[in-house]
Amino acid sequence: MTSNDAERPDDQPRPSGAFPGAPDVESVFPEGQAPSGEPGDGSAGAPAPGAAVRTRRRWSFAREVGVIVVAALVISFLIKTFVVQPFVIPSESMENTLIKDDRVLASRFVPRFLDINRGDVVVFKDPGGWLASQPQQESTGLVKAGETFLTFIGIRPVDAGEHLIKRVIGLPGDHVTCCDAQGRVSVNGVAIDETYIKPGSIPSEIEFDVVVPEGSLFVLGDNRQNSGDSRYNTDKPGNGFVPIDNVVGTAVAKVWPLDRASLMRNPGSVFEDVPEP
């Protein structure tokens, strides 16, 4: 026995690794698990607090984005339904006020909350047979679904296939005639000077004499010699008059193309001398 052995009793614990063959403390714990229970190099440990915080933040951000997107879609739908709706001009019948393929915004307040006035440019559903039936190539599959969705929320203009746009000349009860000695249209006995008709056009190439029924309108295009309006649909449902219930709004602004963008105002001075029927 050496002097060192004499100074260290056999029952006194020896420090780990004090002699060859003694196990290292770390080796008695499962791989990757430190004595304290904190994660080591393996994958068995609990997730770090920082990772959990980052995960919660990602989910919170995703929820916020979802809420914003849904709110935007709801607002867009409500605007289209109750405020304004885009439309595409389908023909040359309203030149030069509106040109084919112009985009306009129609106010949905009319006729729901506001009255229609003489001179208003109104968008309305075909009363029946005004639009020539033309075969149209329809989209299919995902393209059709996307177009339907964008139209539904008001981003994509409504297809012009079932809508027309004309100017109101006669309101319910009005007596509208053409033509006087100077070739002008008269409303309730007063001839009007129509400043909005296309240069080179005349107020009408045919004569007419009508009284507008209750709940209906008498409409004409600004391009009089190229407009299938009330004058030419007397053999169709409604006898050429447009039911007010078919009106979906009044055009209030041109928005496309940008170089033609402007507000659309009622030419009130044209009809200011027209008496009530």
Side-chain angles (χ1 to χ4, degrees), residues 63-262:
R63 285 195 298 270
E64 290 176 2
V65 171
V67 170
I68 291 172
V69 170
V70 171
L73 294 178
V74 171
I75 291 172
S76 179
F77 172 75
L78 293 175
I79 289 175
K80 181 210 74 168
T81 304
F82 298 107
V83 185
V84 293
Q85 186 171 357
F87 288 90
V88 181
I89 303 305
S91 70
E92 298 84 4
S93 69
M94 283 297 294
E95 291 181 352
N96 286 342
T97 303
L98 297 169
I99 296 176
K100 184 179 180 181
D101 296 329
D102 277 357
R103 265 65 169 174
V104 300
L105 293 180
S107 169
R108 299 303 302 271
F109 289 120
V110 180
R112 293 180 178 181
F113 309 113
L114 300 175
D115 293 332
I116 299 174
N117 298 300
R118 302 181 191 96
D120 284 347
V121 175
V122 294
V123 177
F124 58 94
K125 292 182 180 179
D126 186 351
W130 285 39
L131 291 169
S133 57
Q134 298 178 353
Q136 296 182 355
Q137 184 177 359
E138 293 187 359
S139 302
T140 58
L142 292 177
V143 174
K144 183 177 181 179
E147 292 176 350
T148 301
F149 175 71
L150 292 177
T151 300
F152 175 76
I153 64 175
I155 295 176
R156 181 175 180 268
V158 173
D159 183 77
E162 62 179 20
H163 294 89
L164 300 97
I165 185 165
K166 306 291 181 188
R167 191 179 297 275
V168 176
I169 304 299
L171 296 174
D174 282 346
H175 183 201
V176 187
T177 64
C178 191
C179 305
D180 70 354
Q182 299 178 9
R184 296 174 298 179
V185 172
S186 296
V187 181
N188 298 334
V190 175
I192 56 176
D193 293 314
E194 300 180 273
T195 57
Y196 41 73
I197 65 174
K198 183 178 181 179
S201 297
I202 59 175
S204 182
E205 66 277 14
I206 64 172
E207 295 183 354
F208 54 84
D209 187 334
V210 298
V211 175
V212 185
E214 286 300 317
S216 297
L217 304 170
F218 183 85
V219 299
L220 298 174
D222 290 356
N223 186 4
R224 294 291 162 81
Q225 279 63 67
N226 190 13
S227 176
D229 45 43
S230 289
R231 298 170 296 168
Y232 295 101
N233 289 284
T234 55
D235 59 336
K236 307 291 174 48
N239 300 316
F241 300 104
V242 177
I244 292 178
D245 289 343
N246 283 37
V247 175
V248 297
T250 57
V252 294
K254 292 177 281 188
V255 296
W256 190 263
L258 292 178
D259 61 348
R260 288 177 46 76
S262 64

